[in-house]
Amino acid sequence: MLDLRAVTAGYPGHPPVFRDVSLTVAPGESAGLLGPSGCGKSTLARVAALLHRPDAGTLHLDGERIRHWRHRAPRAQRTAFGVVFQQPRLSADPRLTLADLVAEPLRATGDREHLGERVAALAARVGLTGDLLSRRPHEVSDGQLQRACLARALVLRPRWLVCDEMTAMLDASTTAALVGVVEEYRAETGAGLLAVGHDRVLLDRWCDRTVEWSSLITPAAQAPAR
Amino acid sequence: MAETTVEKTAPRESGAARAAWRSRTGTRRSTRTLRLYTSVVLTGVTVLAVLVVPPLVQLDQQAVDLAAKLRPPSAAHPFGTDDVGRDLLLRCVYGLRVSLLVGVAAALTATVVGTAVGATAGALGGWVDRAVMRVVDAFSSVPHLLLGVFIVAMFRPGVWPVVASVALTHWLSTARIVRAEVLSLRARPYVDAAVSGGASRWRVAVRHLLPGVLPQAALAAVLMVPHAMWHESALSFLGLGLPTHMASLGNLIQSARGSLLAGQWWPTLFPGLFIIVPTLAVAGLAGVWRERINPRRRSELML
């Protein structure tokens, strides 16, 4: 159970992006989050994936309350989430080849057993073929890079997937392929999914449940108290 | 579209106009390559002179010949002789050797210290960053030379105190550059991805942040070499740097001050040129390198 309650989050030096937002995702469920741009849905996804410490509110992961974010969070909690970001160009280190990119979480967690085979199997699964794995990010297309980023998110076999506008800048066939890989992985492992996006048609088809951003805000916060 | 227009009009253009167009691009390219080649050649000559001349030329740079003192440049002594008849060419080469050694050692030390401090501050952020950068500000509020004199004065004169003095006063700018770069890299999503992939702080810094700042840090190190040479010369000129018997460019100029007033120009001119020429050569090299690694931000790192 991924349970965000009355979360307020923002960035230093600015007023909070959102206040008192609550969202619950059941294990194995896929939840789609729809919202206009700039409303804070990416920030909420970052809070959920332990990448951004909220200013207020609580996050319970499988019944356990999360008290620390980013590096302070225990490694097991951080790696329970596979995160795919919106812009593959920015979310891939430009110095690593795609093979290193995918293998990086395995190396970081010290899990080096059969590393090459596992990376190769995962690459085949996301559709990275041929010599693509030996190329660097600037030598591949956005779609191919996003495939590698999805492989990186899956390589530690996370219990939760957070896809932050994963397909926003991809064509229809790549979108279909990536969504297919995610669904195949979820069918196999029963992982939960939080998919953020603004494409209602896609999220409706992809997710068990689609929620509007406006419905997440706790009614008390909407009252003109401030 | 533009290409086809050019192709169509090209045969009708007059020969002179085409030649002008060509020569304009030609000169622009040639100034850049000229700058590169001049810098490479001058740096190469300097390094070769410093490395090759002392083992090959079996002459004593300290040999005193009072009968031939203060001779102007001639065939026997191309740079002339100083006030006790020592050959200035040889003295200059040995002086450059010491100055370059101090410059390179101090620049390397300063870069390592600066990179370590800057990367720590940038990678940890928060109150560590603020505290470290205030210490850096406090250090840089003291004039370089004053702080350097203070450090040198604590030790017996020699090469290593000068290296320490120059290094300890020059890591500040490197720390600032590295910290700024690390801060900008730290906000990239690929660092988020690494955090989510279970990377420790150390791994993020070493694997993702430091490789990104290395070109900038290396450029700062190269630009630091002439800076450190000047600093060493200034300390020696003030009589605080290397011991007077050791030929360093600052010492040479300092001991030749008296004869300059008497009209003998060569004992000061040649050591001075030996400081200026390597400085310009390294600055030219660094300029070409800077344009290569970062064509858009040209004004950031200056000598």
Side-chain angles (χ1 to χ4, degrees), chain B residues 24-296:
Chain B
R24 195 154 60 235
T25 53
T27 44
R28 192 183 291 163
R29 181 182 293 170
S30 73
T31 45
R32 184 180 289 184
T33 43
L34 187 67
R35 186 169 59 157
L36 178 63
Y37 287 140
T38 324
S39 311
V40 167
V41 167
L42 285 179
T43 315
V45 166
T46 310
V47 171
L48 271 184
V50 157
L51 291 180
V52 170
V53 167
L56 280 191
V57 182
Q58 300 293 334
L59 291 172
D60 186 8
Q61 49 122 353
Q62 302 275 29
V64 173
D65 181 8
L66 284 173
K69 70 171 189 176
L70 283 174
R71 290 275 170 83
S74 63
H77 302 287
F79 282 11
T81 57
D82 69 358
D83 52 359
V84 286
R86 293 179 290 200
D87 180 54
L88 268 174
L89 175 57
L90 208 54
R91 294 278 288 170
C92 280
V93 169
Y94 275 86
L96 184 63
R97 190 175 153 95
V98 173
S99 293
L100 258 186
L101 168 73
V102 171
V104 169
L108 278 182
T109 320
T111 307
V112 169
V113 174
T115 307
V117 172
T120 311
L124 291 182
W127 65 267
V128 179
D129 180 33
R130 285 195 286 276
V132 169
M133 292 327 280
R134 289 304 80 76
V135 171
V136 168
D137 287 345
F139 259 98
S140 47
S141 67
V142 184
H144 274 180
L145 196 56
L146 196 64
L147 193 60
V149 165
F150 185 74
I151 295 170
V152 160
M154 293 196 293
F155 300 97
R156 196 183 288 268
V159 174
W160 299 113
V162 175
V163 170
S165 146
V166 177
L168 287 181
T169 48
H170 284 73
W171 58 271
L172 305 160
S173 57
T174 313
R176 285 219 180 93
I177 293 167
V178 168
R179 176 206 171 238
E181 282 293 316
V182 166
L183 275 186
S184 88
L185 291 181
R186 205 167 72 116
R188 305 269 169 98
Y190 66 74
V191 174
D192 284 344
V195 172
S196 182
S200 60
R201 280 200 179 92
W202 171 254
R203 189 172 175 90
V204 168
V206 170
R207 182 96 168 146
H208 299 292
L209 300 179
L210 273 184
V213 299
L214 226 50
Q216 306 282 337
L219 178 58
V222 170
L223 282 170
M224 191 80 75
V225 172
H227 199 132
M229 276 174 64
W230 281 83
H231 223 80
E232 180 278 322
S233 300
L235 282 176
S236 299
F237 182 76
L238 292 174
L240 291 158
L242 301 166
T244 18
H245 65 85
M246 222 168 161
S248 97
L249 296 175
N251 277 342
L252 289 178
I253 296 176
Q254 202 252 348
S255 60
R257 260 184 326 155
S259 48
L260 179 66
L261 294 176
Q264 283 105 14
W265 47 269
W266 54 94
T268 40
L269 176 70
F270 291 116
L273 281 182
F274 265 57
I275 303 181
I276 292 170
V277 168
T279 305
L280 290 181
V282 172
L285 268 187
V288 174
W289 185 3
R290 184 172 60 225
E291 280 177 22
R292 262 204 82 102
I293 65 170
N294 202 346
R296 270 177 296 177

Side-chain angles (χ1 to χ4, degrees), chain A residues 14-31:
Chain A
H14 298 281
V17 183
F18 54 79
R19 292 173 198 270
D20 296 327
V21 166
S22 302
L23 174 68
T24 307
V25 187
E29 185 193 26
S30 57

Side-chain angles (χ1 to χ4, degrees), chain A residues 46 70 75 78 93 95 104, chain B residues 192 198-199 203 207-208:
Chain A
R46 280 164 53 86
R70 290 187 78 86
R75 180 180 274 167
R78 274 189 270 154
D93 189 334
R95 279 163 214 84
E104 185 59 22
Chain B
D192 284 344
R203 189 172 175 90
R207 182 96 168 146
H208 299 292

